[in-house]
């Protein structure tokens, strides 16, 4: 019989499921399954649980302290975790800076940083984008000037997710203004407690505080905190962007939110799934998710064999970002008027509390417009894919 | 001298221009706009904006096309106010109900801005049917999430009488219990109102039976059309903001407007806006008509077209702005959130598609 997974993989799935059943706190699970966005504490709780199980670096090879999951095991793990209601892991350390350190970092970097990433003792954020350099990242201006054994870093980063929660930031900085702009960029690891760093919140239009401006005013960073050679930052960045785009919890999110959509349809007492038009929208979305999910799996099987198939990074990023947005849009459509309230009025003589489960639907729909913008906008992804198809 | 052509849809009338001009003048005062709708409200009254829906004999224009233009300008300004329910739908209804002379004084007070009215007319969405009953001259039940329901002095509601007939009733603030008072995704207030055996006064019985049915359908069409007109204004602002941004923002050494995919996206947004304007103007022009079927079809098509355009324009505006489109301090997000309220309050385009050919 043809099957998607091997027996061993199915057994692995059960192991993961058992772990989630035993360990994931019920309260956390419930909040995540009702669409709440995780707090810093939630993410720490989850990472510590993984760490205790030896899965803190679950995306890492064994030689770096990971469990050495195969690509498919990683997929299964995330699929189960999302659907069980685990919070998303903080990707910046685990999935972004860690692979760069493994590939380009010194032994000292590996020893110092990797264990604290796996346990989430260090919370990381990503300092790439600048006000003038978003899609055109290579034009970045934040300067790092050599001063003895240190660099002095001056400039501004923007849209830095969770900088206000972070202990460390990895940054692309300009160490040379000569030659090709990509060649003057270096990759620095900077302690967020360094004097001269200022973090200012940016509130997004859903009302959330996720992103920030990070200002650097002559911040002293030891040269020892540079990963790779001076001028090799762009190579590190490109390697990392590949990783970033390949790491889409997107599909797990979509499945979880489709399940919630159907539950809400039942609970609102007047199942809109009985309406053929709406049912068709849900059905179409589920089939699109299935097709993207299978595409993801096919890419992973190829990775396992060491083959290159298609354009995994851009396609998965584009597909999963749209699907995430579309499932949230359907939730909004489903709830209609019930999705209007987002909080109790201030002056309120309100005896009834707002049911938070419904109050987060419209804001999350707003918030997830970000998915087609960040991690390389979908337009930039298409440019990359087109270049590879057409030259 | 007024030519006959002035009553043809899409041909503007001079008086509309004057009124819109004075509204634009008010809305150009940024400080006034920042203060929210309350300080603006008195200014709107003084400029004659709130009495535009009154009969000509009371100093109004009695012309839904003018009201749609005003709603559009308010939508463009980004200020969310009770204009649609109070100054368009309710004010117009009070001159259309049987024995409308009962409401001369109320109409005048609405026009002068000294009172405001909220309205809860079930939309096209089945599940949003009225939860209000009228038995033995008493109204009981719940009206869910009525815009400006807690701020209003009067509320117009639909109730089901014991024989299953609809009734259109008017209640005062003092008759209702505010069960829940919330802020919506657009930042506007909504309230769930409860009535416990409120005895109808002679003036609270607006209409019953087939008369009520006619007025309810009409009131719904006005509300939807005006909401669409307001959305049109918001979309026009988003298209302008996005067009401007594409010309000033540079990446890769070029303005964003140099990238063909973004040029095409902007064109699609503008095309959606253009169609939206056509259907809104048509529906507004037909609101005064006796041809109920033509009016209904026009309003459904408007609701459908604007609901789709609103999603497209708001989503693409954010996308083409990139990160800055997500920031609350730029105006894009505010319009995005307000545009979401059309499908939330009145249903998405599926409901229109289902009903249109039926
Ligand atoms: C919620 C959120 C979180 C983020 N988190 C982080 C983070 O943690 N760290 C970090 O470094 N950055 C982060 N970013 C920044 C993100 O990577 C940038 O927003 C993104 O790269 C786009 O850059 P920009 O905002 O400057 O938009 P711009 O580059 O100005 O783009 C504006 C629009 O033009 C389009 N465009 C630009 N160039 C082209 C082209 N050549 N062809 C076609 N279309 C083009 C874009 O696709 C977009 O639609 C985050 C952004 C958001 C919204």
């Amino acid at each position: 019989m043809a099957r998607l997974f091997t027996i061993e993989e199915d057994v692995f799935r059960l192991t993961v499921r058992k772990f989630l059943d035993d360990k994931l706190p019920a309260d956390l699970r419930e909040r995540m399954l009702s669409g709440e966005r995780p707090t810093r504490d939630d993410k720490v709780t989850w990472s510590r649980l993984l760490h205790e199980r030896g899965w803190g670096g679950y995306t890492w090879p064994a030689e770096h302290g990971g469990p050495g999951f195969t690509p498919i095991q990683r997929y299964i793990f995330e699929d189960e975790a999302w659907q069980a209601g685990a919070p998303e892991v903080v990707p910046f350390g685990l999935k972004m800076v860690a692979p760069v350190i493994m590939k380009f970092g010194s032994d000292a970097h590996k020893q110092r940083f990797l264990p604290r990433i796996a346990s989430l003792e260090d919370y990381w954020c990503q300092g790439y984008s600048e006000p003038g350099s978003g899609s055109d990242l290579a034009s970045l201006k934040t300067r790092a000037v050599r001063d003895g054994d240190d660099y002095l870093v001056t400039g501004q980063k923007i849209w830095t997710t969770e900088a206000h929660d972070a202990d460390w930031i990895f940054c692309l900085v300009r160490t040379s203004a000569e030659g090709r702009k990509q060649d003057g960029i270096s990759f620095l690891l900077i302690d967020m407690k360094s004097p001269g760093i200022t973090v200012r919140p940016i509130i997004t239009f859903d009302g959330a505080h996720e992103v920030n401006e990070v200002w650097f005013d002559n911040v002293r960073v030891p040269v020892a905190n540079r990963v790779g050679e001076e001028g090799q930052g762009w190579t590190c960045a490109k390697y990392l962007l590949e990783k970033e785009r390949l790491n889409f919890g997107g599909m797990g999110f979509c499945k979880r939110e489709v399940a919630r959509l159907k539950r809400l349809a039942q609970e609102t007492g007047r199942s809109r799934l009985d309406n053929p038009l709406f049912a068709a929208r849900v059905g179409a979305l589920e089939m699109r998710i299935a097709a993207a999910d299978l595409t993801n799996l096919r890419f992973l099987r190829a990775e396992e064999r060491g083959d290159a198939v298609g354009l995994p990074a851009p396609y998965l990023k584009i597909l999963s970002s749209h699907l995430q947005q579309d499932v949230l849009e359907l939730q909004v459509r489903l709830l209609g008027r019930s999705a209007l309230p987002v909080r109790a009025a201030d002056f309120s003589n309100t005896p009834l509390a707002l049911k938070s489960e419904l109050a987060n639907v419209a804001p999350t729909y707003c918030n997830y417009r970000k998915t087609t913008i960040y991690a390389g906008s979908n337009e930039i992804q298409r440019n990359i894919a087109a270049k590879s198809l057409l030259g | 001298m007024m030519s006959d052509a002035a009553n043809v849809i899409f041909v503007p009338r001079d008086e509309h221009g004057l009124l819109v001009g004075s509204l634009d003048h008010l809305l150009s005062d940024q400080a006034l706009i920042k203060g929210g709708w309350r300080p603006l409200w008195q200014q709107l009254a003084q400029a004659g904006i709130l009495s535009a829906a009154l009969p000509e004999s009371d100093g109004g224009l009695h012309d839904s096309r003018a009201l749609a233009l005003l709603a559009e300008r308010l939508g463009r300004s980004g200020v969310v106010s009770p204009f649609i329910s109070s100054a368009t739908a309710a004010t117009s209804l009070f001159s259309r109900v049987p024995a409308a002379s009962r409401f001369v004084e109320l109409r005048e007070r609405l026009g002068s801005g000294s009172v405001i009215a909220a309205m809860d007319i079930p939309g096209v969405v089945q599940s949003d049917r009225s939860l209000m009953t009228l038995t033995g001259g008493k109204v009981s039940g719940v009206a869910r999430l009525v815009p400006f329901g807690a701020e209003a002095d009067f509320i117009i509601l639909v109730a089901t009488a014991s024989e299953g007939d609809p009734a259109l009733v008017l209640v005062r603030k003092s008759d209702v219990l505010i069960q829940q008072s919330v802020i919506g995704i657009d930042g506007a207030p909504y309230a769930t109102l409860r009535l416990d055996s409120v005895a109808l006064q002679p003036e609270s019985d607006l209409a019953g039976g087939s008369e009520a049915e006619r007025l309810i359908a009409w009131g719904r069409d006005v509300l939807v059309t005006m909401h669409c007109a307001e959305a049109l204004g918001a979309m026009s602002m988003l298209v302008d903001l996005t067009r401007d941004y594409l010309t000033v923002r540079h990446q890769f050494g070029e303005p964003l407007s140099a990238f063909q995919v973004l040029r095409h996206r902007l064109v699609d947004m503008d095309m959606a806006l253009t169609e939206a304007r056509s259907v809104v103007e048509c529906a507004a022009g037909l609101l005064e008509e006796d041809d109920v079927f033509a009016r209904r079809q026009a309003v459904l098509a408007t609701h459908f077209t604007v609901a789709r355009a609103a999603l497209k324009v708001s989503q693409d505006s954010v996308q083409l702005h990139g990160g800055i489109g997500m920031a609350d301090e730029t105006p894009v997000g505010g319009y995005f959130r307000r545009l979401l309220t059309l499908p939330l309050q009145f249903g998405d385009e599926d409901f229109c598609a289902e009903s249109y050919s039926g």
Side-chain angles (χ1 to χ4, degrees):
Chain A
M1 195 179 75
R3 35 193 295 143
L4 281 173
F5 298 101
T6 65
I7 306 274
E8 291 75 21
E9 286 162 354
D10 285 343
V11 170
F12 175 77
R13 189 182 284 275
L14 293 178
T15 315
V16 173
R17 207 172 278 175
K18 172 104 176 49
F19 164 74
L20 290 162
D21 278 349
D22 291 347
K23 298 290 182 190
L24 190 61
D27 145 74
L28 180 56
R29 177 194 298 259
E30 199 174 302
R31 284 189 291 115
M32 296 303 107
L33 292 181
S34 57
E36 247 184 57
R37 279 177 256 162
T39 63
R40 186 188 201 276
D41 284 349
D42 291 336
K43 295 179 193 179
V44 171
T45 303
W46 172 230
S47 289
R48 297 277 151 82
L49 287 171
L50 289 178
H51 186 57
E52 280 164 26
R53 178 68 170 78
W55 290 349
Y58 73 88
T59 52
W60 302 354
E63 57 172 308
H64 293 296
F69 289 169
T70 66
I72 299 291
Q73 285 179 323
R74 224 160 57 208
Y75 166 91
I76 291 172
F77 175 81
E78 294 200 343
D79 195 46
E80 287 294 320
W82 272 105
Q83 289 180 72
E88 192 178 7
V89 294
V90 187
F92 306 107
L94 183 76
K95 297 179 170 184
M96 296 189 192
V97 77
V100 172
I101 290 174
M102 289 172 203
K103 186 154 175 84
F104 302 98
S106 64
D107 285 341
H109 288 146
K110 289 174 196 165
Q111 278 156 24
R112 176 169 176 203
F113 292 111
L114 294 181
R116 296 177 63 86
I117 290 174
S119 59
L120 203 64
E121 278 160 280
D122 287 342
Y123 204 104
W124 283 80
C125 64
Q126 177 189 29
Y128 277 21
S129 308
E130 298 182 5
S133 309
S135 297
D136 182 12
L137 188 55
S139 69
L140 61 90
K141 293 200 181 66
T142 296
R143 273 182 305 122
V145 181
R146 192 70 184 254
D147 180 40
D149 288 339
D150 296 328
Y151 286 110
L152 289 177
V153 178
T154 301
Q156 188 201 344
K157 297 293 176 182
I158 194 169
W159 316 120
T160 322
T161 301
E162 293 172 3
H164 56 296
D165 281 335
D167 306 302
W168 284 83
I169 182 169
F170 57 92
C171 280
L172 290 181
V173 295
R174 183 154 302 286
T175 38
S176 163
E178 308 288 305
R180 230 171 54 105
K181 53 188 182 177
Q182 285 84 350
D183 297 336
I185 294 174
S186 301
F187 194 102
L188 292 187
L189 311 178
I190 305 179
D191 187 338
M192 287 295 283
K193 289 184 290 295
S194 313
I197 296 185
T198 311
V199 177
R200 295 195 188 136
I202 301 175
I203 305 302
T204 44
F205 74 83
D206 57 312
H209 173 205
E210 288 178 356
V211 291
N212 303 274
E213 299 176 343
V214 183
W215 295 74
F216 298 86
D217 179 14
N218 270 307
V219 175
R220 204 162 269 284
V221 181
V223 171
N225 283 12
R226 190 189 66 221
V227 178
E229 298 303 313
E230 196 169 278
Q232 215 193 353
W234 191 250
T235 311
C236 299
K238 276 200 345 205
Y239 180 75
L240 187 158
L241 279 178
E242 282 288 299
K243 291 274 168 195
E244 180 178 5
R245 286 166 196 157
L246 266 175
N247 277 310
F248 274 93
M251 240 55 89
F253 175 88
C254 289
K255 291 185 198 171
R256 169 151 120 191
E257 292 303 321
V258 165
R260 178 165 173 236
L261 171 75
K262 291 175 162 176
R263 175 171 60 76
L264 289 173
Q266 303 297 340
E267 282 176 9
T268 42
R270 28 162 218 264
S271 177
R272 214 184 144 184
L273 292 173
D274 296 339
N275 176 306
L277 273 181
F278 192 76
R281 279 190 188 270
V282 178
L285 181 74
E286 286 187 285
M287 290 185 283
R288 286 172 55 209
I289 293 171
D293 199 27
L294 288 170
T295 303
N296 191 5
L297 260 181
R298 188 163 66 88
F299 285 146
L300 293 172
R301 286 289 178 210
E303 189 185 328
E304 212 173 31
R305 292 193 310 269
D307 284 351
V309 181
L311 292 161
Y315 287 180
L316 288 179
K317 199 279 169 164
I318 294 170
L319 290 170
S320 93
S321 56
H322 281 306
L323 289 168
Q324 291 177 68
Q325 294 179 339
D326 291 353
V327 64
L328 296 169
E329 184 183 313
L330 266 196
Q331 290 181 351
V332 169
R333 287 175 185 268
L334 167 77
L335 291 184
R337 203 181 273 211
S338 304
L340 272 172
V342 295
R343 61 182 169 84
D346 296 333
F347 58 87
S348 174
N349 45 354
T350 306
L352 292 182
L354 261 191
K355 197 180 172 221
S356 70
E357 155 112 66
L358 304 188
N360 65 39
V361 170
T364 301
Y365 162 74
C366 292
N367 182 274
Y368 269 64
R369 301 316 302 174
K370 69 189 177 186
T371 60
T372 44
I373 297 171
Y374 67 18
S377 75
N378 285 23
E379 287 73 30
I380 295 302
Q381 300 291 346
R382 285 186 171 91
N383 283 347
I384 293 170
K387 194 158 182 191
S388 122
L389 287 174
L390 294 164
Chain B
M1 194 187 73
M2 201 160 66
S3 91
D4 186 40
N7 278 326
V8 174
I9 292 169
F10 303 133
V11 178
R13 285 169 53 172
D14 294 343
E15 341 48 305
H16 296 176
L18 290 175
L19 203 59
V20 168
S22 60
L23 178 56
D24 279 347
H25 178 70
L26 278 180
L27 296 175
S28 66
D29 181 349
Q30 286 302 319
L32 181 62
I33 290 193
K34 288 239 158 56
W37 69 274
R38 281 194 191 275
L40 181 65
W41 203 247
Q42 278 317 310
Q43 306 275 337
L44 291 178
Q46 274 164 30
I49 310 291
L50 300 185
S51 37
L54 293 176
E56 276 157 313
S57 54
D58 292 357
L61 294 176
H62 191 64
D63 183 341
S64 299
R65 293 165 63 202
L67 299 180
L69 284 171
L70 298 173
E72 181 194 333
R73 304 319 261 224
L74 284 162
R76 194 177 159 89
S77 78
V79 180
V80 183
S81 75
F83 180 79
I84 291 177
S85 57
S86 193
T88 74
T91 305
S92 310
L93 258 181
F94 286 125
S95 47
R96 291 181 164 250
V97 294
S101 54
R102 289 181 286 171
F103 299 110
V104 176
E105 199 204 317
L106 181 53
R107 289 200 301 257
E108 200 179 293
R109 290 169 70 198
L110 285 166
S112 71
S114 60
V115 296
I116 70 163
M119 220 161 140
D120 185 44
I121 291 202
V124 279
V125 188
Q126 281 295 332
S127 52
D128 282 344
R129 287 284 169 243
S130 169
L131 302 168
M132 222 36 101
T133 55
L134 172 61
T135 334
K138 291 186 171 166
V139 194
S140 295
V142 170
R144 279 183 69 224
L145 298 166
V146 182
F148 295 93
E151 286 74 13
D153 305 283
F154 296 91
I155 303 113
I156 297 174
L157 297 166
V158 174
T160 311
S162 8
E163 313 79 44
D165 282 344
L168 196 61
V169 302
L170 174 68
V171 297
R172 292 160 194 287
K173 191 187 189 97
S174 54
D175 295 331
V176 303
L177 195 86
I178 297 172
Q179 185 168 313
Q180 190 185 41
S181 180
V182 299
I183 301 300
I185 185 69
D186 57 342
Y190 296 82
T192 295
L193 310 175
R194 210 177 80 217
L195 275 73
D196 290 323
S197 293
V198 172
L200 281 190
Q201 308 301 317
E203 76 277 8
S204 34
D205 181 7
L206 292 179
S210 60
E211 191 63 27
E213 222 157 273
R214 192 177 64 78
L215 286 169
I216 290 165
W218 186 81
R220 179 191 304 133
D221 284 350
V222 176
L223 281 178
V224 171
T225 304
M226 294 303 152
H227 210 100
C228 288
E230 194 214 78
L232 181 65
M235 288 191 279
S236 74
M237 190 58 155
L238 284 177
V239 170
D240 287 352
L241 287 169
T242 305
R243 189 192 54 219
D244 290 349
Y245 192 71
L246 291 184
T247 60
V248 298
R249 170 74 170 170
H250 285 65
Q251 288 289 276
F252 304 100
E254 296 191 82
L256 294 180
S257 61
F259 301 121
Q260 191 175 49
V261 63
L262 305 182
R263 301 169 70 85
H264 288 185
R265 291 278 282 273
L266 182 72
V267 168
D268 287 346
M269 288 166 64
D270 189 56
M271 197 152 57
L273 172 68
T274 303
E275 274 195 308
R277 182 175 301 285
S278 311
V279 290
V280 166
E281 287 189 13
C282 172
L286 291 177
L287 283 177
E288 318 293 340
E289 295 302 313
D290 293 330
D291 185 344
V292 176
F293 183 74
R295 189 189 79 211
R296 174 180 170 273
Q297 294 298 88
V299 173
L300 277 174
T302 301
H303 184 171
F304 176 85
T305 308
V306 174
R308 280 162 48 109
L311 270 191
K312 176 176 181 53
V313 170
S314 55
Q315 293 176 351
D316 284 3
S317 300
V318 173
Q319 183 65 24
L320 297 197
H321 275 80
I324 201 74
M326 290 297 301
D328 201 32
E329 67 186 291
T330 37
V332 175
Y335 290 103
F336 183 105
R337 289 185 283 111
R338 178 61 184 166
L339 283 170
L340 201 52
T341 62
L342 173 70
L344 292 189
Q345 274 187 263
F346 300 101
D348 64 12
E349 70 266 27
D350 286 359
F351 292 102
C352 309
E354 272 179 329
S355 315
Y356 192 76
S357 299

